[in-house]
């Protein structure tokens, strides 16, 4: 075992500090302000060969693989001072103390707050099994968030988290560990000083996190990271805000793309439709037609892998890159029929090939598979590694091999994309069926084991998919869905938490799973609505799940029910109107949601955000996960309990909120109880918030346009919002074809709303309706660009007018309407007191 206990010497080497200890050499680099890299080189070579980082401050062997996707920065400058018992490194708004004997590293921010401290004697260890660990001091009350996709509560204090991606069908939403993702990143929140710090362990091996679960009288309270191999390569990321940490983390690992609009729509699916004996294509187009007849908006269809089923000597089996001719006799015609209906189809593609695949020899001939380990090759000869796969033994594609990626791109194009789609659903890409983790992969010619690199296979599969779509349809935005993923998967895909179970517990605890992904730099996440695995949801559960799903970044109803039913929006006719209302609410929210996706592309800030991140100052919301913010302006408190008649909500301190539906005012810092029935969707407007809604009906995000825009404004305090618009489908926005409207709101007795536009895109919005929340106070005048607008006391006259204002006393809002001139405009609303009698 290698134990690190004392410093032998510290030296400056250009832009880094090298710490030579009795156990391992450690190198420090201040990558940028607030980001310190601490690398303990147990492998000895400090090789730079990352599939993960899009920002580096050093040459990397994979720079050519990334090309323009990777940015090189210059490390921050620093001073190095030997102070006797310690060496101090100062720079990048950080102070790093290297204590010599006993050895430990302690990091402070520019205000002197301690962000991190190694545990003396346990800091950097390597055991006889090749596992490497790093142990950090923690405070008793520290909270831990992130970790990618996990079950259980949002705060992982005293939990043991494992990262070893699994095909976790029907998992327990509270206890199953691990799930499908490998994202070794978390945020630690000190509950005393309310500052956050991020820990990103740049390592692709299976790993675990002990968050204060283990106790020993010989050591202070601590957390431990332990990986099956590789270096301890920690990027320590200062806050102080949780949002600051997420922004810096995604500066390192990449920001999400701007997804096409339809990715925000209802994405229909069920394994049933692609599994019928024949004419699956007709069954699916009929489903879309029924949805339209029921008045339910829909924009996508996630095509399960049954379309690839072939009759083999072992029976019907799914064979990637084939089409079942009984179910889909004319794939091109099917895609064309769906496109005519405004539907984007995302066919399921899997990265392994069954032994009985009719084209196995073609795959083998291109040498695309993960290879046997040295021991297996000695026993059985050279050849592909064989692992457990859906339907029997299978061989797995090695996406670390350039020739394999090129072959996959070609097959994907010919068998899927050329049929008429720009969207792909990459599934079952956890690679956990390969038991022999010493099986060999190419690693761009350097060679490595699948145990080291299986977590990145899904990222690389998505990388190839993105490039294939771009080559096939250069003007289209690729839309990729992927079940698994390593840190950086946000660069490529939308995702979901796999094959959840149908239960009220899943409805509740899946919320924390989505929020954890949002805090891990992945904003485009969701969970199968209604549950994927198990019996059909009962009517109440279905309604509540759809009402919650209306706010998930990914909205998909997908199932393989164990009772042979199919989860569909209209499966309970007496309850369909509740489902329809919730889905239509989501489509009304399109301008808000799409603007939040544009913000996420710029900053990676969550779309669904936990209250602890949005209101970091308030310790009373540290544990809350049932309620969350949608953007900065909407607090969502869905009903998650069976038979509920009341929904209690803890409102963050120092804030004001208004009921979205009634405009009842609530002060923060306490708990409110909202009466609910089956149709209730508890939703609160935040003081200072601005929420754009589609005022006209939108049933398709690709065919219908927002012509009438409602801007709900809550002027309890100043606020601002950036409304983003573009064509929603193409890459023209990359060349300036977009429009951003900065909405600035000044609060007080005189409320001012300023709209400033920039960008070349011609908006579809023709009419504006300002909905200014002010219960119990009617203004005495409203001006538009300095010109007095007429007041209408009668609502019918107001509705018929092109421009003017009306105070809706029942709603508690000032309603102001005007044609949208397309340029900048200013609205002034005077609530200044007027003595009409004295006049």
């Amino acid at each position: 075992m290698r134990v690190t206990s004392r410093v032998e010497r510290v030296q400056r080497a250009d832009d880094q500090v090298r710490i030579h200890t009795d156990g391992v050499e450690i190198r420090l680099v201040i990558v940028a302000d607030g980001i310190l890299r601490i690398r303990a080189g147990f492998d000895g070579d400090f090789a730079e060969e990352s599939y993960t980082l899009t920002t580096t401050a050093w040459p990397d062997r994979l720079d050519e693989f990334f090309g323009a996707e990777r940015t090189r920065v210059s490390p921050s400058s620093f001073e190095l001072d030997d102070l006797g018992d310690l060496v101090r490194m100062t720079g990048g708004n950080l102070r790093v103390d290297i204590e010599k004997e006993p050895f430990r590293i302690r990091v402070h921010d520019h205000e002197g707050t301690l962000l991190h401290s190694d545990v003396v004697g346990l800091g950097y260890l390597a055991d006889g099994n090749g596992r490497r660990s790093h142990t950090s001091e923690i405070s008793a009350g520290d909270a831990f968030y992130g970790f990618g996709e996990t079950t259980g509560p949002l705060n992982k204090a005293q939990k043991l988290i494992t990262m070893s991606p699994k095909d976790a069908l029907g998992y327990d939403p509270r206890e199953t560990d691990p799930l499908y993702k490998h994202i070794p990143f978390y945020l630690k929140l000190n509950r005393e000083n309310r500052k956050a710090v991020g820990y990103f362990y740049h390592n692709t091996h299976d790993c675990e996190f002990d968050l204060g679960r283990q106790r020993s009288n010989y050591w202070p309270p601590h957390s431990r990271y332990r990986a099956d191999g590789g270096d301890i390569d920690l990027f320590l990321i200062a806050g102080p805000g949780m949002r600051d940490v997420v922004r810096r983390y995604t500066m390192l690992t990449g920001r999400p793309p701007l997804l096409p609009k339809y990715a925000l729509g209802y994405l229909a699916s069920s394994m049933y439709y692609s599994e019928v004996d024949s004419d699956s294509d007709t069954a699916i187009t009929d489903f879309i037609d029924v949805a339209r007849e029921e008045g339910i908006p829909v924009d996508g269809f996630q095509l399960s892998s049954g379309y690839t089923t072939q009759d083999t000597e072992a029976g019907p089996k799914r064979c990637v890159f084939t089409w079942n001719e009984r179910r889909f006799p004319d794939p091109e015609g099917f895609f064309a029929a769906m496109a005519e209906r405004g539907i984007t189809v995302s066919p399921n593609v899997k990265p392994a090939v069954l032994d009985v695949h009719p084209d196995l020899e073609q795959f083998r001939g291109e040498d695309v598979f993960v290879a046997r380990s040295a021991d297996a090759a000695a026993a059985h000869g050279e050849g592909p590694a064989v692992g457990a796969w859906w339907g029997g033994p299978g061989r797995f594609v090695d996406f670390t091999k350039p020739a394999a990626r090129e072959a996959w791109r070609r097959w994907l194009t010919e068998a899927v994309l050329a049929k008429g789609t720009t969207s792909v659903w990459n599934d079952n890409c956890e690679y956990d069926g390969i038991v022999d983790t010493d099986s060999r992969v190419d690693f761009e010619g350097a060679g490595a084991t699948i145990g080291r690199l299986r977590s990145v296979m899904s990222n690389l599969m998505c990388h190839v998919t993105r490039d294939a779509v771009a080559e096939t349809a250069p003007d289209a935005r690729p839309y990729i869905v992927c079940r698994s993923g390593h840190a950086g998967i946000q660069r490529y895909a939308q995702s979901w938490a796999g094959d959840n179970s149908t239960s009220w517990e899943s409805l509740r605890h899946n919320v924390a799973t989505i929020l954890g992904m949002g805090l891990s730099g992945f904003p485009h996440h969701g969970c199968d609505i209604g549950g994927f695995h198990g019996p059909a949801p009962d009517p109440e559960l279905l309604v509540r799940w759809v009402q919650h799903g209306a706010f998930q970044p990914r909205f998909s109803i997908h199932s393989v029910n164990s009772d042979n039913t199919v989860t569909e929006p209209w499966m309970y006719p007496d309850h369909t109107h509740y489902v329809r209302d919730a889905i239509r609410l989501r489509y009304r929210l399109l301008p808000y949601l799409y603007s939040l996706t544009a913000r996420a592309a710029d900053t990676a800030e969550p779309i669904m955000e936990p209250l602890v991140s949005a209101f970091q100052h308030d310790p009373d919301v540290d544990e809350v996960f049932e309620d969350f913010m949608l953007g900065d302006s909407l607090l969502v408190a869905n009903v998650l309990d069976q038979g509920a008649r009341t929904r209690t909500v803890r409102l963050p301190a120092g804030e004001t909120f208004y009921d979205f539906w009634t405009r009842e005012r609530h002060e923060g810092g306490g708990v409110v109880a909202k009466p609910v029935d089956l149709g209730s969707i508890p939703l609160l407007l935040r003081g200072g918030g601005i929420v754009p809604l589609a005022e006209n009906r939108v049933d398709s995000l690709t065919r219908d346009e927002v012509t009438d825009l409602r801007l709900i404004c809550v002027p309890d305090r100043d606020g601002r919002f950036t409304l983003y618009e573009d064509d929603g489908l193409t890459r023209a926005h990359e060349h300036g074809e977009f429009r951003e409207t900065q909405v600035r709101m000044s609060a007080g007795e005189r409320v001012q709303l300023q709209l400033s536009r920039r960008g070349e895109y011609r908006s579809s919005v023709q009419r504006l309706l300002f909905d200014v929340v002010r219960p119990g106070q009617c203004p005495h005048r409203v001006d538009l660009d300095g010109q007095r607008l007429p007041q209408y006391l009668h609502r019918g006259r107001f509705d018929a007018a092109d421009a003017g204002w009306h105070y809706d006393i029942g709603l508690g809002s000032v309603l102001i309407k005007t044609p949208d001139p397309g340029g900048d405009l200013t609205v002034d609303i005077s609530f200044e007191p007027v003595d009409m009698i004295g006049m």
Side-chain angles (χ1 to χ4, degrees):
M1 186 171 193
R2 296 169 67 181
V3 179
T4 304
S5 59
R6 71 176 186 275
V7 173
E8 295 177 344
R9 73 179 187 279
V10 178
Q11 66 179 122
R12 181 174 191 143
D14 299 324
D15 52 19
Q16 62 182 335
V17 171
R18 299 177 64 178
I19 307 169
H20 300 272
T21 77
D22 58 344
V24 66
E25 181 182 341
I26 298 172
R27 297 182 181 180
L28 308 181
V29 178
I30 301 176
V31 181
D33 283 357
I35 304 177
L36 172 69
R37 187 186 194 187
I38 305 173
R39 185 172 185 183
F42 287 105
D43 287 336
D45 56 5
F46 289 91
E48 301 290 1
E49 42 191 12
S50 174
Y51 284 121
T52 308
L53 301 174
T54 57
T55 298
T56 63
W58 45 82
D60 187 290
R61 186 172 68 86
L62 303 187
D63 282 341
E64 184 177 352
F65 166 79
F66 273 99
E69 194 174 348
R70 175 168 279 166
T71 299
R72 177 81 62 81
V73 299
S74 297
S76 295
S77 59
F78 63 89
E79 297 178 358
L80 192 67
D81 300 297
D82 193 327
L83 304 179
D85 292 339
L86 62 85
V87 175
R88 177 165 292 167
M89 180 187 193
T90 308
N93 293 321
L94 298 172
R95 190 185 85 216
V96 185
D97 288 343
I98 306 160
E99 298 179 358
K100 297 179 180 178
E101 190 171 0
F103 166 66
R104 67 175 173 178
I105 295 172
R106 290 164 64 85
V107 183
H108 298 75
D109 66 13
H110 67 284
E111 295 179 336
T113 303
L114 179 66
L115 301 180
H116 164 80
S117 177
D118 297 336
V119 174
V120 169
L122 299 180
Y124 305 88
L125 305 178
D127 66 21
N129 295 317
R131 296 178 299 180
R132 286 77 193 265
S133 62
H134 178 230
T135 307
S136 309
E137 288 187 14
I138 62 175
S139 300
D142 284 347
F144 300 87
Y145 305 99
F147 303 97
E149 189 179 80
T150 56
T151 59
L154 186 66
N155 177 13
K156 306 302 182 187
Q158 300 190 45
K159 299 294 182 182
L160 181 67
I161 305 294
T162 306
M163 291 188 185
S164 177
K166 295 290 185 290
D167 188 338
L169 173 68
Y171 58 86
D172 185 311
R174 294 187 301 173
E175 302 295 344
T176 299
D177 175 62
L179 293 183
Y180 303 84
K181 310 293 194 298
H182 182 282
I183 302 177
F185 165 76
Y186 69 89
L187 304 93
K188 180 180 72 176
L189 177 66
N190 184 295
R191 297 214 208 190
E192 297 298 320
N193 60 40
R194 307 304 297 171
K195 289 187 176 182
V197 60
Y199 286 72
F200 170 48
Y201 287 94
H202 177 225
N203 188 314
T204 55
H205 285 272
D206 285 358
C207 62
E208 66 180 23
F209 294 87
D210 183 324
L211 289 317
R213 186 181 185 91
Q214 185 181 98
R215 291 177 179 269
S216 172
N217 189 46
Y218 300 105
W219 315 106
H222 57 271
S223 62
R224 184 192 67 212
Y225 161 81
R226 183 164 63 191
D228 285 353
D231 289 343
I232 297 298
D233 192 4
L234 168 64
F235 288 82
L236 190 74
I237 306 171
M242 297 176 77
R243 285 185 174 186
D244 299 323
V245 173
V246 172
R247 280 195 291 265
R248 288 177 172 139
Y249 164 71
T250 54
M251 184 200 84
L252 292 170
T253 61
R255 301 269 163 77
L258 182 59
L259 297 179
K261 279 183 186 176
Y262 61 77
L264 294 172
Y266 166 32
L267 306 171
S269 188
S270 171
M271 288 190 67
Y272 165 80
Y273 295 102
S274 62
E275 300 283 346
V276 297
D277 291 336
S278 63
D279 299 325
S280 292
D281 50 0
T282 301
I284 293 170
T285 54
D286 284 350
F287 171 91
I288 301 302
D289 293 343
V290 170
R292 296 275 158 74
E293 291 168 9
E294 290 283 352
I296 293 176
V298 59
D299 271 275
F301 194 89
Q302 312 281 284
L303 181 62
S304 292
S305 57
Y307 78 94
T308 67
T309 300
Q310 299 296 319
D311 294 325
T312 73
E313 59 188 21
K317 299 293 181 181
R318 291 171 173 81
C319 298
V320 66
F321 295 146
T322 70
W323 285 84
N324 183 299
E325 294 182 356
R326 294 192 310 276
R327 295 172 177 171
F328 294 89
D330 179 13
E332 291 88 347
F334 166 68
F335 282 109
M338 293 292 274
E340 287 175 5
R341 291 164 168 81
I343 305 299
T344 297
V345 179
S346 305
N348 184 290
V349 176
K350 303 183 189 299
V353 178
L354 289 166
D355 283 359
V356 296
H357 195 294
D359 300 322
L360 177 61
E361 291 308 312
Q362 178 185 354
F363 286 100
R364 193 198 301 269
E366 300 249 15
D367 191 22
V368 301
F369 295 124
V370 175
R372 288 176 180 150
S373 66
D375 288 343
H380 307 289
E382 295 290 342
V386 178
W389 187 236
W390 198 4
R395 294 159 172 80
F396 296 75
V397 175
D398 177 9
F399 288 102
T400 72
K401 187 172 189 176
R405 293 196 296 268
E406 172 55 27
W408 189 265
R409 180 203 58 77
R410 187 173 69 251
W411 294 328
L412 178 66
T413 299
E414 293 171 354
V416 177
L417 301 179
K419 305 298 183 186
T421 188
T422 56
S423 179
V424 176
W425 168 12
N426 288 334
D427 199 12
N428 298 86
C429 38
E430 295 79 24
Y431 281 63
D432 67 322
I434 304 178
V435 175
D436 186 351
T437 55
D438 290 330
S439 299
R440 292 169 291 171
V441 297
D442 183 74
F443 196 21
E444 314 302 322
T449 66
I450 191 66
R452 176 181 176 183
L453 291 174
R454 76 182 182 95
S455 65
V456 302
M457 288 296 178
S458 48
N459 291 35
L460 297 177
M461 186 181 182
C462 290
H463 182 102
V464 177
T465 303
R466 181 199 63 185
D467 290 352
V469 173
E471 183 177 278
T472 305
D475 293 332
R477 291 184 215 176
Y479 172 47
I480 302 167
V481 180
C482 188
R483 188 172 74 177
S484 188
H486 174 63
I489 186 63
Q490 70 269 7
R491 299 194 299 267
Y492 305 112
Q494 187 188 73
S495 188
W496 83 110
D499 299 336
N500 59 348
S501 56
T502 302
S503 68
W504 285 91
E505 279 197 334
S506 288
L507 170 59
R508 174 183 295 278
H509 289 281
N510 281 173
V511 180
T513 300
I514 300 170
L515 295 176
M517 280 292 280
L519 287 181
S520 302
F522 195 101
H524 297 299
H525 194 255
C527 294
D528 281 346
I529 294 162
F532 175 78
H533 184 259
D538 64 49
E540 183 185 4
L541 179 56
L542 176 66
V543 169
R544 293 305 191 197
W545 218 320
V546 173
Q547 289 171 343
H548 160 69
F551 305 102
Q552 289 183 180
R554 170 177 165 81
F555 181 89
S556 181
I557 301 174
H558 181 43
S559 67
V560 58
N561 295 342
S562 57
D563 55 9
N564 297 321
T565 59
V566 181
T567 302
E568 296 175 315
W570 46 82
M571 64 190 298
Y572 299 110
D574 291 345
H575 293 74
T576 299
H577 63 288
Y578 296 120
V579 172
R580 181 187 301 112
D581 289 347
I583 297 176
R584 284 185 179 175
L585 173 61
R586 180 180 182 85
Y587 276 67
R588 284 198 71 201
L589 284 165
L590 168 67
Y592 188 57
L593 286 169
Y594 194 55
S595 298
L596 294 179
T597 66
R599 185 185 74 171
D602 185 47
T603 67
E605 289 181 25
I607 294 171
M608 266 177 66
E609 184 176 21
L611 301 187
V612 65
S613 174
F615 306 99
Q616 194 170 322
H617 65 279
D618 184 0
D620 287 339
V621 300
D622 287 355
E623 307 292 335
V624 174
F625 67 83
E626 296 91 344
D627 312 332
F628 57 87
M629 292 299 294
L630 189 73
D632 291 330
S633 302
L634 286 176
L635 193 157
V636 182
N638 290 304
V639 179
L640 306 174
D641 294 314
Q642 187 173 16
R645 294 294 175 262
T646 304
R647 178 63 158 90
T648 58
V649 187
R650 173 167 289 281
L651 300 179
E655 303 283 338
T656 57
F657 293 89
Y658 293 83
D659 187 289
F660 182 86
W661 310 103
T662 68
R663 306 297 164 86
E664 179 184 4
R665 180 186 170 103
H666 302 285
E667 294 295 333
V671 176
V672 298
K674 309 290 291 183
V676 296
D677 57 27
L678 191 54
S680 298
I681 303 177
L683 195 57
L684 295 159
L685 294 159
R686 181 186 182 185
I690 299 169
V691 180
L693 299 173
E695 189 69 1
N696 61 298
R697 180 168 161 176
V698 176
D699 289 322
S700 167
L701 303 185
T702 57
R703 299 192 301 181
D704 297 340
E705 295 183 327
V706 177
T707 57
D708 295 67
L709 184 71
R710 187 185 196 109
L711 281 165
I712 302 178
C713 303
V714 192
D716 284 45
R717 62 183 181 192
D718 294 353
R720 64 173 52 196
F721 182 81
T722 301
L723 174 68
Y724 179 86
E725 300 169 90
D726 62 21
D727 65 25
L729 292 172
T730 75
R731 302 177 68 171
H733 66 287
E734 297 174 5
H735 310 289
E737 290 291 326
F738 64 88
R739 185 170 84 160
E740 286 183 342
T741 300
Q742 295 286 343
V743 184
R744 293 180 175 86
M745 177 172 63
S746 301
E749 289 187 334
R750 182 177 177 182
V751 173
Q752 186 174 80
L753 305 171
Q754 293 180 300
L755 275 60
S756 304
R757 271 70 180 263
R758 78 176 186 95
E760 300 299 321
Y761 177 69
R762 185 176 180 84
S763 172
S764 62
V765 175
Q766 300 172 16
R767 290 167 291 277
L768 296 172
L769 175 65
F770 296 91
D771 179 345
V772 183
V773 179
R774 199 75 163 213
Q777 190 176 15
C778 177
H780 72 88
R781 73 169 190 274
V782 175
D783 295 341
L784 174 65
D785 288 335
Q787 299 296 314
R788 188 70 52 88
L789 283 177
Q791 179 184 6
Y792 293 91
L793 296 177
H794 188 273
R795 179 58 187 263
R797 295 289 179 88
F798 170 75
D799 290 340
D802 289 331
W805 69 275
H806 168 77
Y807 184 70
D808 188 325
I809 192 169
L811 186 63
S813 281
V814 187
L815 303 179
I816 306 159
K817 65 191 307 187
T818 178
D820 187 349
D824 299 349
L825 62 86
T826 301
V827 176
D828 286 294
I829 310 164
S830 175
F831 294 98
E832 297 158 305
V834 175
D835 183 358
M836 297 184 71
I837 297 176
M839 291 173 61

